[in-house]
Amino acid sequence: MKNGFVANRGRWLQASALLFLILALCLPRLTALDHYVTIDEPTWLMNSANFYQALWTRNWKDTYQLEHPGVTITWTGTLGFLWKFPGYVKLVDGQLKKENKFRDFLTSKGHTALDLLVAGRTFTALGVILVLLLAFTLMVRLAGWGLALMASLLIALDPFFIALSRLLHLDGLVAALMLLSLLAFLSYLDRGRRRRDLLLSGVAAGLSWLTKSPAFFLIPFMGLLVLIELFISWKRVGVVDLRNRATWLRSIWAAVSSWLVWLIIGVIVFILLWPAMWVDPIGTLSQVFGGATNYALEGNSHVTFFAGQVIDVGQSIWYYYPVSLLWRITPPMLIGVLLLAVACLFPKWFGLSLDNRRMAWFMSLFTLLFIIFITLSQKKADRYQIPVQPALCILAAIGWYVLFERLGNWVGLRFPGAPMRLLMPLLAGAVVFWQLLGVLQTAPYYMNYYDPLLGGDRAAPGVMMIGRGEGLDQAAHYLNSLPNARNLHVFAWYGEGPFSYYFKGKTWSIETNTTLDDILKADYTVLYVHQWQRQLPSKEVLDFFARLTPVYVARIGNLDYAKVYDLHNLK
């Protein structure tokens, strides 16, 4: 009876913990999805509409939209259209390529681009949530319930990861899929070589390749894992007799064959879910890999800002990602990783288990090699590092977990009557709550999170380029509150999408070649935070408005994101 009660209590605790994880994944990713638009999302909404139209007309070649390739995003965007505007394909005449024309077409048919964007975001976020829940089940197999839950909660409540995984965009989904593929492959290698683990890893890999080309990094990395396992097995059984060719070839084939099966599964998924591959595989792949090569060699196509410097087109700084990671991770993540490093330096004192050592080793290897991989590219952006942040959450969880185990042993020896079963959950809960604070402080503008140990959003503008469209929604709402708003003409940075999806009047976009005379033709202008960082569109324009007082400032946290200027008295 007592054993049954204990078992039932254990199941209830696990069920409660799982429910808490689901809430941590869903609430920040599925709420307030209409609050702002980032600069690339209007393109992906239009690409999704074109993808949907290509599927409907069976024009398979047009399911190629961009070289990224972003196919999973166009699928989730298509689901959004099927939910909110299924008749789109019957009304549109072919593929639309201009974002403002696409937005106007939607409006003419009684739909708003923002509503359809929110629908696409919803399906993308649901995809991320499902993938992360599958990843949690694999972590339970690899590391046990306690560590898996703590790691998954750190991942679920990482503000920067939340920010990217609730958009109709590539980075959040590709990070989740790469994590799932990696964990499933490790589960295959370490937990009985179950075929379903290999199948799941291959499917997740194929979906990640369909999402964004840097995910092809998994191909050589999984091959490296297989080779590491091969050498470990040789060391375990003794030196392989290299003179017996059949023996060592058989051992190599046994190891490599799993990688080949994984690769074949990924390729099948890649082909099946992208109709462009059915009719023009060579041309499609050449555009994908050609685009990836151009990005790597040519670098950023626009002026950027980093470490207090304006970075010219095509230029980059080699230490971008180490610095960017420090700004984008949370204190619990950073301290947890440092604790793990200490535990690895003193393994006897901390007592790292074999499972924890292996997990720490493989996640560290993935993080290090992926950062080196993206550093080799000239094109830099903080969101490109997001695939390593779930791995860093796992490493941090191991660091904290090992510390808590050591602390629990120390308390148990000195205070035999202490309630030890409560100590670990309470300590882990405190760390998770610390992670949650960053979410609560930035919601729903999670992109505004910067590591408070480095100064947070007060100090970030001196190092990081700020803003991808957040705050322009607030500026638009202010202008919409003015009399006769529908007749106003406004020049705005990131005008198409981040501003126009909210503004009732006429939007003109400020471009890099926009002059002061152009801007003064409007009723109002909206300038954005990183225009001053990047000195765009020109020093003349910025100097002119620096002398004026804005009529409205869109403020998020401690930062002024957008400033609205009344131009009526300047004409």
Side-chain angles (χ1 to χ4, degrees), residues 232-276:
I232 290 175
S233 67
W234 282 356
K235 185 177 179 180
R236 187 183 301 121
V237 300
V239 178
V240 175
D241 186 1
L242 297 179
R243 294 171 296 180
N244 188 338
R245 184 178 180 184
T247 300
W248 62 265
L249 281 178
R250 190 159 49 247
S251 65
I252 291 174
W253 171 248
V256 173
S257 60
S258 59
W259 177 80
L260 289 174
V261 171
W262 171 86
L263 180 61
I264 290 169
I265 294 169
V267 169
I268 291 172
V269 170
F270 188 85
I271 293 172
L272 284 179
L273 293 182
W274 196 3

Side-chain angles (χ1 to χ4, degrees), residues 220-337:
F221 185 76
M222 297 305 197
L224 177 62
L225 293 187
V226 166
L227 291 178
I228 291 172
E229 288 299 301
L230 177 62
F231 286 119
I232 290 175
S233 67
W234 282 356
K235 185 177 179 180
R236 187 183 301 121
V237 300
V239 178
V240 175
D241 186 1
L242 297 179
R243 294 171 296 180
N244 188 338
R245 184 178 180 184
T247 300
W248 62 265
L249 281 178
R250 190 159 49 247
S251 65
I252 291 174
W253 171 248
V256 173
S257 60
S258 59
W259 177 80
L260 289 174
V261 171
W262 171 86
L263 180 61
I264 290 169
I265 294 169
V267 169
I268 291 172
V269 170
F270 188 85
I271 293 172
L272 284 179
L273 293 182
W274 196 3
M277 288 292 295
W278 307 349
V279 293
D280 185 22
I282 303 300
T284 300
L285 289 176
S286 66
Q287 290 181 90
V288 170
F289 290 111
T293 302
N294 288 337
Y295 285 133
L297 296 178
E298 295 176 4
N300 293 82
S301 57
H302 301 288
V303 171
T304 58
F305 175 88
F306 182 70
Q309 307 175 51
V310 176
I311 311 298
D312 290 333
V313 172
Q315 301 298 310
S316 64
I317 296 177
W318 69 268
Y319 55 84
Y320 179 93
Y321 288 110
V323 173
S324 178
L325 269 174
L326 289 175
W327 277 97
R328 285 303 194 178
I329 63 175
T330 65
M333 292 166 63
L334 177 59
I335 295 172
V337 171

Side-chain angles (χ1 to χ4, degrees), residues 85-203:
F85 190 9
Y88 171 85
V89 290
K90 298 178 181 179
L91 300 174
V92 71
D93 184 19
Q95 303 262 304
L96 299 179
K97 298 298 183 182
K98 296 290 185 181
E99 291 166 18
N100 58 340
K101 301 294 184 184
F102 169 67
R103 172 172 51 85
D104 291 342
F105 175 81
L106 293 177
T107 303
S108 70
K109 304 304 178 185
H111 293 269
T112 67
L114 182 60
D115 284 344
L116 287 161
L117 178 64
V118 169
R121 282 177 164 184
T122 300
F123 284 104
T124 305
L126 286 172
V128 172
I129 291 166
L130 175 61
V131 170
L132 292 179
L133 285 173
L134 289 172
F136 166 70
T137 64
L138 292 166
M139 276 191 276
V140 170
R141 293 192 74 239
L142 289 165
W145 250 91
L147 181 54
L149 181 62
M150 186 176 181
S152 295
L153 286 170
L154 290 179
I155 293 169
L157 298 173
D158 177 358
F160 190 46
F161 190 24
I162 292 172
L164 295 174
S165 58
R166 51 186 266 126
L167 305 177
L168 188 66
H169 202 264
L170 318 170
D171 299 291
L173 183 56
V174 76
L177 288 167
M178 290 176 74
L179 174 68
L180 178 61
S181 182
L182 177 56
L183 289 173
F185 200 77
L186 291 176
S187 181
Y188 171 78
L189 294 176
D190 286 357
R191 295 294 186 267
R193 295 186 175 262
R194 300 189 310 180
R195 292 178 181 176
R196 61 176 176 267
D197 288 335
L198 191 62
L199 175 63
L200 179 59
S201 180
V203 170

